[in-house]
Amino acid sequence: MAIEGFDYKGFAQNLAQQALELIPADFNENQKNYVANTLLNFSAVAGEALYNDTQFNFNLDQAVMITQIIAEWSFHKSVDLVRSGIPQQYWDPIMQKIAFTIFEIAKNAFSQNLPQEQCLQVIEHHVKKTYLDCIAELKEKNLIDEGLMEQAASQSNIDAMAQQQVEQAEEPQPAEPQGGIPQPGGIPQPGGIPQPGIPQPDAPHETGLGAGAKVLKLATLAMVFRRLQQEKVQTILNKFNPDDAESVIKFMGVNDLDKKVDTNAALRCIQEIKTNLPEPTQKINPSKILAKIQSVAEHIDREKLEQKLRLERVNVRKFVFTALEGEYYQIPPKVANIIATHLEDSV
C-alpha cells in the first residue's frame, strides 16, 4: 500500500537542491554535479522503493527519515570519494554498495522500532565499514596502490563538518526553531532533526547533540573531565588523537554543556565507552588476525572457502590459506585485518 502524502520525487529534488549549497566551494562543476546527482538518484530510488513497499508498511515519518539518511550519507561519502584521489570510474560502484547497505540496514532497524539514535549509530557503523571494504577491495585487485588506499580511507567529510561545528560551539548562535521529523518538500536546516554524526550544540535539550555518536562521546568525556584534576585530564588527552583532544578541550569550555546534552544519552554513552572502548595499548597483531581467520574456517569447509576466494588476488588467497596452517603470510597488518574482517562478515 502506497504511503499517503509521501511525495518522494519532490522530496528528493529538494534534498538535492539544498545540498548544492553545502558542496565544498573548491569542487569543480563536474565534481559538484556528481555529488548532487548521486544524492538525487539514490534518495529518489529509495523513496520510490519505500513508497511501493508492501512488506514493512512504513509510515510517512519513517519513509521520510530513511530517505533523508540515504541522501545525507550519499552526500558525505560522495564528497569523500571526490577528495580521495580514487579514479572517478570506481565511484559509482562504491556508492551503489553504500546506498544498498544503508537502505537494508535502515529498513531493518526502523522495522524493529529501535530508538532513532541507535538506528543512526548502526547505520553509521555499516556505512564506514562498507566504504573501507570497497577501498580495500580496489587495493586487493591492484586498481589502486597502498598510498591511495590510505589517503581514501582517511577521508571523512562528516567528521570534518562535525569538527567545524565544534569550533563554533562557543560562539553565540541565533535561536533555531525546535527540530522535528521533516515533512516531504524540505530538508531540515541546522537545528532541525539531528544529522548522522553532526553535532548540534545549540539544539533543544531533548535532542542534545543529536546523533553524532563520536561527538556525543567527546562531549560526555568533557563533562567527566571537568571533575578531574587538570594534570590527570592532560595525561589522558595525551593519548587521544590530537583533533579529538582539541574537541574535548573546546567542549570543556562550553557554558552549560550539561544542559545541552541529554542526560540519558550521556549515561548510555558513558556505559558504551566503559564496555566497548579498546585498551589504549591494544594493537593489531598477527596472532589475533590468525585466530580470526581460523575461527571463520570453523563455520565453512575448505571447498566453499576456496570458491569464495577464487576471484581474489593470489596474495590474498595465500594469506588466508597460510593463516589456516597457523602461519602469518607477511602483508601489512592493516590490510591483513581488513581481509580477515571482510571474510568474517561474509560467512
Side-chain angles (χ1 to χ4, degrees):
M1 181 177 179
I3 302 173
E4 184 177 354
F6 185 31
D7 177 15
Y8 62 86
K9 292 182 180 178
F11 188 39
Q13 288 283 355
N14 282 329
L15 291 169
Q17 185 62 37
Q18 296 197 37
L20 286 172
E21 301 175 6
L22 302 174
I23 296 175
D26 61 317
F27 279 18
N28 61 37
E29 285 304 310
N30 173 61
Q31 294 167 337
K32 290 179 180 179
N33 288 334
Y34 180 80
V35 173
N37 290 334
T38 297
L39 184 155
L40 173 62
N41 292 337
F42 287 143
S43 55
V45 169
E48 182 177 10
L50 292 167
Y51 182 80
N52 295 318
D53 175 74
T54 57
Q55 178 182 0
F56 294 100
N57 295 317
F58 291 117
N59 60 35
L60 175 61
D61 289 344
Q62 291 172 322
V64 167
M65 178 67 74
I66 293 172
T67 303
Q68 182 180 323
I69 290 171
I70 288 177
E72 289 172 351
W73 276 115
S74 296
F75 174 84
H76 289 300
K77 299 318 290 181
S78 58
V79 169
D80 288 344
L81 282 173
V82 172
R83 294 199 183 284
S84 70
I86 291 176
Q88 186 167 351
Q89 67 205 68
Y90 304 123
W91 295 355
D92 279 349
I94 293 175
M95 288 306 306
Q96 287 165 5
K97 289 182 181 179
I98 290 173
F100 177 78
T101 297
I102 298 171
F103 191 63
E104 293 302 312
I105 297 297
K107 283 197 304 181
N108 290 328
F110 279 91
S111 68
Q112 297 174 33
N113 294 316
L114 297 178
Q116 178 180 309
E117 181 181 349
Q118 187 174 347
C119 289
L120 294 175
Q121 289 177 351
V122 170
I123 291 167
E124 181 172 2
H125 167 76
H126 284 280
V127 167
K128 292 182 176 180
K129 180 181 182 302
T130 302
Y131 176 73
L132 294 176
D133 285 348
C134 289
I135 294 170
E137 184 177 359
L138 291 178
K139 168 63 173 62
E140 291 165 11
K141 292 180 178 179
N142 209 30
L143 298 174
I144 61 175
D145 59 27
E146 186 168 353
L148 189 52
M149 180 184 72
E150 294 288 345
Q151 176 179 315
S154 69
Q155 301 300 319
S156 182
N157 185 65
I158 200 167
D159 288 338
M161 290 182 69
Q163 179 64 29
Q164 184 179 16
Q165 291 203 16
V166 167
E167 292 172 355
Q168 297 172 353
E170 293 179 290
E171 299 177 6
Q173 299 290 327
E176 297 283 357
Q178 182 160 343
I181 301 297
Q183 298 303 314
I187 187 172
Q189 300 297 321
I193 69 162
Q195 298 182 33
I198 300 178
Q200 301 183 45
D202 293 311
H205 176 77
E206 288 79 4
T207 51
L209 289 175
K214 178 178 179 180
V215 178
L216 176 59
K217 290 177 183 178
L218 297 177
T220 302
L221 287 172
M223 290 190 292
V224 173
F225 288 171
R226 280 176 169 178
R227 293 170 168 78
L228 300 178
Q229 294 180 352
Q230 185 62 36
E231 292 182 1
K232 194 168 186 178
V233 170
Q234 191 58 54
T235 300
I236 297 173
L237 289 178
N238 286 340
K239 299 178 182 179
F240 277 44
N241 173 287
D243 290 337
D244 290 345
E246 182 180 356
S247 297
V248 172
I249 293 171
K250 288 184 177 181
F251 271 128
M252 290 175 69
V254 174
N255 293 329
D256 299 325
L257 179 62
D258 56 335
K259 295 180 181 179
K260 296 178 180 178
V261 179
D262 181 71
T263 302
N264 292 330
L267 289 174
R268 291 196 301 270
C269 188
I270 290 174
Q271 183 60 35
E272 182 181 349
I273 292 172
K274 180 180 178 181
T275 57
N276 296 330
L277 192 65
E279 294 286 337
T281 56
Q282 184 176 356
K283 296 181 180 179
I284 299 174
N285 62 69
S287 61
K288 290 187 177 181
I289 295 175
L290 292 180
K292 188 179 292 188
I293 295 290
Q294 291 168 353
S295 176
V296 170
E298 295 176 2
H299 304 284
I300 183 172
D301 60 41
R302 190 180 182 92
E303 183 178 349
K304 290 183 179 179
L305 186 58
E306 289 175 348
Q307 181 72 11
K308 184 180 290 290
L309 296 173
R310 72 186 189 284
L311 298 179
E312 298 291 346
R313 292 174 58 201
V314 173
N315 284 347
V316 173
R317 297 199 301 271
K318 188 169 184 178
F319 163 73
V320 172
F321 292 113
T322 301
L324 294 179
E325 302 299 325
E327 297 182 7
Y328 184 85
Y329 180 68
Q330 293 301 320
I331 61 175
K334 284 186 178 180
V335 177
N337 193 50
I338 290 173
I339 295 171
T341 301
H342 177 72
L343 186 61
E344 187 177 49
D345 291 341
S346 66
V347 175

